[in-house]
Amino acid sequence: MKFAYKFSNLLGTVYRKGTVIFSKDGNTVLCPVGNKISMYDLRNNRSCTLPVESQYNFTALALAPNGNLLIAADEVGEVRIISMMSRSVLYSKRFPSKDIKSIKFSPDGKHFAITKQDAVLVYTCPGSSNRIFNPFHLMRVFQGAYDVTTCIDWSYDGKLVAIGSQDMSTRVYSFVKMKNLKEYIISGSRDTIIGAFFEEKSYNLYTVAKDGRVTAWDCNVTSEDLVLVENPYETNSKSKAKENEEKEEDDIPLTLEEELEKTPKVSQKAEDDASIIKLYYERRFHVFMDKYLNIKNVCVSAAQYHTTLGMMVVAFTTGDFVLLDMNDKAALIHSLNISKQTVSSVAMNPSGDWIALGVSSLGQLMVWEWQSESYILKQQGHFNNIRVVTYSPDGQNLVTGGEDGKVKVWSTQSSFCFVTFTEHTSAITGLVFTQSGRAILSSSLDGTVRAFDMSRYRNFKTLTSPRPTQFSCLTVDCSGELVAAGGQDAHNIYLWSLKTGRLLEVLGGHEGPVVSLQFSPVPGSTLLASTSWDGTLKVWDAIANTTAKETISISSDGLCLSIRPDGKQIAVATIDGQITMFNPTTGQQEGNIMGQEDLGTGRADADKITALKSQKSKAFTSICYSSDGMCLLAGGQGKNVCIYSVADELLIKKFQVTQNKSFDAMDDTINRRKLAENDVNLALVEDRDDSEGVNTSVKLPGTRTGDKSLRAFRPEVRVSSLTFSPTGRCWASSTSEGLLIYSLDTTWLFDPLDLDISNTPSAIKQKLNKMEYSTALMMAVRLNIDYLKRQVIEAIPVDSVSVVAGDLVQLYVEKVLSFLGEELEKTPHLGLYAYWAQTLVTRHGHGLKERSPHITSSLNALQKALTTHNTNLSKVCSHNEFMLSYLLTQASLKQKRKVQKVMKETSGGASSKTNDDNEKNKNIDDEDDDDDDGNEAERMEVLFSEDAES
């Protein structure tokens, strides 16, 4: 058994808050999602999460001009330098300030500037200059603002830095010391400066204020007019050298010319100072944004300027944004309303075609192409927490249900949500796929069970109870015909027929809310297990009778249950933190796991007791068997997800789902510095700010409710649902952070099978050279190194595959099948590996059928890979089919027109001269038609070559 799982991706949550930026090529969007950073590849339609995790939520991002370094700052002032090539943290530094609102690289990428309270710090970028041990080498500090600095921008040559502040002014500093500029203050705004931007190849400046005023400022100097100050160190060394020379030459008499040269030329220096042009700015024009929106008292939340195209994007708290042409006095190019909430961040790609917008309050991330007026990307996570998650039978999709009443379907290949069902009006409590994967069933607190078609993406069936009942759980049998839901207030189990939609039975017997139930996964079985808060586990026969077949008393109130894939064991988690295993046939207890100490709970801000005491009231709320039934996945009211061995009843590994201290109860103790008099926690003191651009409404004293997307109320970490992939190579957990995917990490794992001293890579290559293919393949499987197995399988001739597959024993067949399922997802030799899989299943079908419960994960992985390739190839074939049909239709139409033209020419009685002329024209037309046919053939050849490449 291998449990080398690691975090691989984050779904369910698209955007939280912070800066949204584009990559260097403009094809990828990077945005912070809590304490992680997600990347959305718009060209390849994929997303991934960087393996970098902070202890607090990220708020500001900046990417180097070469795209190799990423700087990320969190909400407590810790800055990390991340390598985009190795995707790892290189350096980190903790700043005492919590107001890092902006980070900006210089145009040459050698320096970066960070806002810190009322100042801006400029550091040398690692690896850009001389070898410096300290990665955060401070170069300059710009001070002078009377309030928090909000934005930074560099001039095109990196000599000037513009800094906006909440004191309603913009300050321009010289990065290198200059004689005609030290600091220039641009005032005149009536609100906070949201953005300050330099023009291309110029020192002209644009400022955007919070009240919607966009101002253009002209600079009176150019780069040639700036006068640098000489290096003071160099000046001091020269003066000291001159003094030494003078001391040595005191005894030597000077001539008149030498005395005149040593005399200071005060008049010449004064003339040089008078010739220096002092830098200043003049206002060119200003525009108020309210005239474009027809809204009074507009409030700007974000702005971005594209220096090459001279266009500016201004976003507002009303969910609108406008695109302005700054070369034409801020003329309106485009405007759109994308949301009803505040647009928190905005960015433009290097080509200026795409505009990325993030709405933190709703968790929305959109990429808009303004020229075609279409969405390139439009994603939104659940507004509230995710309550339940499940995999599709083939493992290609994930379905999540949230407290917002939405059901979302996510692709495990692209990690994007491609369909959302909004028919429910209350929180989702249960989700399940039918065995065929063609339908999704969901239960909700609104009293309905809905069935959704995965082909047409519509709600085709709605199941209800005779009396209004809130459903708390849901299950479906293997045939997809029987649907069962547990009632939260009626304490009954309702059984429907999915085909007819009729209520078949109402199973009564529980004396408390039915919190979990499940059909046996064995094909043809109608066994149904349910647990309730009444402290019982009931086993039913859904068809035979309406009374419980077996009633088992458990140690405490039941919270959830899971049936092993072979249907021979039921695991129940109770409120006292135990997991108990029972035999459903005999009702005998087969095992017990005490896992309360493994949950990993901490002390909340409002807790009056220690974390150890608080842990005694926690329990598992979700459990799930692996696909082979050998281990059990459990999580609940804590930050850990545990994997237990069912046979040994021991903890194998714990996974901490997050390190984000923005959540409550992450630490075991409370720092004394956070406590005021009488041991009152300062974290309970409510902060009211306008960080999102709108004034926060004053709430009643003592209330802690607010905008959950801003983490204002500090929720505790909870694991609400767990599910194993049918392939067994990954599992998913829905938590307060989002939907976390953990995949099997086999890159570092060396796990040989029956290893001996003679089994080496060189020996395997020698067997291949001697054409002993069966021995070479078994040796590679025993060594269990992927590249060796790949090399052997691809070296075996196709006509020898059947013989080699027949020589393998059962143990090696299962190992090879597992390897084929992994390789089929990424190999270009699709036909070869598919032929290997077909041959192994054909030659060893009887043995595989007997051991099917133990190799279910391998077979599911194989099915998933083949289904994915089938879908992709069918799309290409359909495209080619329609293209060929179109070309044949065009050819037939052309032939008809040619025949009609000939018949028309022959039907008329024209003169011989006219006939001669028609003959010439006909020859010319034939030549043109031949050329057209040649061009058409070339176009068809190009199309077929493109399809073959795709």
Side-chain angles (χ1 to χ4, degrees), residues 32-84:
V33 184
N35 65 334
K36 299 178 179 64
I37 300 173
S38 294
M39 301 174 58
Y40 300 94
D41 190 347
L42 305 179
R43 293 294 185 186
N44 300 321
N45 193 30
R46 290 182 179 272
S47 72
C48 64
T49 304
L50 294 180
V52 175
E53 188 174 5
S54 173
Q55 290 186 346
Y56 292 90
N57 295 328
F58 285 114
T59 57
L61 300 179
L63 190 65
N66 58 7
N68 294 332
L69 291 180
L70 175 68
I71 297 181
D74 59 25
E75 59 189 11
V76 297
E78 187 166 357
V79 178
R80 289 173 171 80
I81 299 179
I82 303 169
S83 172
M84 296 300 293

Side-chain angles (χ1 to χ4, degrees), residues 612-728:
L612 188 60
K613 290 289 186 181
S614 177
Q615 190 175 25
K616 295 182 179 181
S617 64
K618 308 299 182 182
F620 294 109
T621 57
S622 179
I623 57 176
C624 177
Y625 275 99
S626 61
S627 56
D628 55 3
M630 300 177 66
C631 62
L632 192 67
L633 199 65
Q637 300 169 349
K639 56 187 176 182
N640 293 337
V641 174
C642 307
I643 294 183
Y644 293 98
S645 172
V646 176
D648 301 329
E649 302 177 10
L650 294 176
L651 176 68
I652 298 175
K653 192 171 183 180
K654 287 193 298 187
F655 299 91
Q656 184 173 340
V657 295
T658 184
Q659 299 178 0
N660 193 352
K661 292 185 178 180
S662 299
F663 291 101
D664 201 0
M666 288 296 296
D667 297 326
D668 294 337
T669 58
I670 298 178
N671 195 331
R672 290 309 240 174
R673 291 179 295 180
K674 298 180 180 179
L675 298 179
E677 298 179 358
N678 301 326
D679 291 338
V680 177
N681 197 333
L682 295 177
L684 298 178
V685 179
E686 186 177 5
D687 293 330
R688 299 191 181 102
D689 56 3
D690 55 348
S691 58
E692 291 298 320
V694 293
N695 296 325
T696 304
S697 59
V698 178
K699 296 184 284 290
L700 294 176
T703 59
R704 294 293 297 167
T705 57
D707 190 353
K708 294 183 179 181
S709 65
L710 300 180
R711 305 290 193 209
F713 67 111
R714 283 174 58 84
E716 294 187 21
V717 179
R718 291 289 182 267
V719 179
S720 57
S721 180
L722 293 168
T723 178
F724 249 109
S725 171
T727 62

Side-chain angles (χ1 to χ4, degrees), residues 233 403 431 590:
Y233 301 102
E403 294 180 355
L431 281 175
E590 296 183 347

Side-chain angles (χ1 to χ4, degrees), residues 790-809:
R790 187 182 306 112
Q791 184 178 359
V792 171
I793 288 177
E794 294 177 2
I796 297 176
V798 179
D799 53 359
S800 301
V801 170
S802 179
V803 178
V804 174
D807 293 341
L808 295 177
V809 297

Side-chain angles (χ1 to χ4, degrees), residues 562-576:
S562 179
I563 302 180
R564 204 165 63 182
D566 59 1
K568 297 180 180 180
Q569 191 179 80
I570 301 175
V572 184
T574 54
I575 201 171
D576 56 359

Side-chain angles (χ1 to χ4, degrees), residues 411-627:
S411 171
T412 57
Q413 299 292 331
S414 65
S415 301
F416 284 127
C417 174
F418 60 90
V419 64
T420 302
F421 301 107
T422 60
E423 281 77 8
H424 284 293
T425 58
S426 188
I428 306 297
T429 57
L431 281 175
V432 64
F433 268 96
T434 58
Q435 187 64 26
S436 62
R438 298 178 181 177
I440 304 172
L441 287 93
S442 63
S443 62
S444 173
L445 295 178
D446 61 2
T448 61
V449 173
R450 297 180 182 271
F452 302 98
D453 186 1
M454 286 298 293
S455 299
R456 301 179 181 179
Y457 303 121
R458 63 184 181 88
N459 177 208
F460 69 91
K461 194 81 69 176
T462 302
L463 310 176
T464 58
S465 59
R467 296 178 58 186
T469 302
Q470 291 183 326
F471 296 118
S472 57
C473 50
L474 180 69
T475 184
V476 65
D477 70 335
C478 291
S479 64
E481 173 61 22
L482 298 178
V483 179
Q488 182 169 307
D489 46 6
H491 308 167
N492 293 327
I493 298 174
Y494 299 88
L495 193 65
W496 294 275
S497 169
L498 182 60
K499 184 176 181 180
T500 62
R502 294 178 55 189
L503 180 65
L504 301 179
E505 294 289 348
V506 178
L507 307 179
H510 281 294
E511 298 177 358
V514 182
V515 292
S516 181
L517 75 165
Q518 184 180 349
F519 273 106
S520 173
V522 178
S525 175
T526 58
L527 183 142
L528 175 67
S530 64
T531 186
S532 171
W533 286 0
D534 59 3
T536 61
L537 168 67
K538 292 183 180 294
V539 181
W540 314 76
D541 190 341
I543 295 179
N545 50 37
T546 59
T547 58
K549 180 180 178 181
E550 192 79 36
T551 300
I552 305 171
S553 297
I554 52 181
S555 60
S556 184
D557 297 355
L559 296 180
C560 59
L561 64 83
S562 179
I563 302 180
R564 204 165 63 182
D566 59 1
K568 297 180 180 180
Q569 191 179 80
I570 301 175
V572 184
T574 54
I575 201 171
D576 56 359
Q578 300 185 35
I579 301 176
T580 311
M581 284 76 75
F582 297 95
N583 188 317
T585 304
T586 63
Q588 297 296 322
Q589 179 176 335
E590 296 183 347
N592 185 41
I593 298 174
M594 296 291 295
Q596 198 171 50
E597 297 181 356
D598 302 328
L599 280 168
T601 57
R603 183 177 179 181
D605 292 336
D607 285 347
K608 298 298 183 180
I609 58 177
T610 62
L612 188 60
K613 290 289 186 181
S614 177
Q615 190 175 25
K616 295 182 179 181
S617 64
K618 308 299 182 182
F620 294 109
T621 57
S622 179
I623 57 176
C624 177
Y625 275 99
S626 61
S627 56

